[in-house]
Amino acid sequence: MCKHQPQCPTAECTDREAAYTVAHHPEQGWSLLCNGVLLFEDTGELLPDGRIIAPHRPLAGGRITTAA
C-alpha cells in the first residue's frame, strides 16, 4: 500500500503510527495512514484486517495533591 521510500511501517509493526497521513479529518476525530491504519484522536486504532487497538494515551505523570 505504501509507496514511500523508505517504506513506512506496516500495520503489523509496533511503530505503525509513524506512517504518513493520507487523509486527516480532525472534525471527525480520525486520520488514515498510508499503511491502511485508521488512527483516532483518542489514540485508538482500527487495523486494515479489522482488529481494534484500544486507546493507549499515557497516564498523567506527577503527583496529585489535595487541599487539606
Side-chain angles (χ1 to χ4, degrees):
M1 194 176 248
C2 177
K3 295 182 176 152
H4 299 109
Q5 289 300 326
Q7 280 198 325
C8 292
T10 66
E12 291 76 31
C13 293
T14 57
D15 61 344
R16 63 183 148 260
E17 295 173 13
Y20 283 95
T21 301
V22 295
H24 182 62
H25 293 277
E27 71 282 0
Q28 296 177 357
W30 61 270
S31 297
L32 175 64
L33 305 181
C34 70
N35 58 8
V37 173
L38 274 174
L39 181 63
F40 296 96
E41 71 178 14
D42 68 355
T43 70
E45 301 170 18
L46 179 61
L47 303 184
D49 64 3
R51 286 183 291 152
I52 297 170
I53 306 297
H56 48 277
R57 285 186 176 165
L59 297 175
R63 291 177 18 178
I64 299 173
T65 58
T66 56

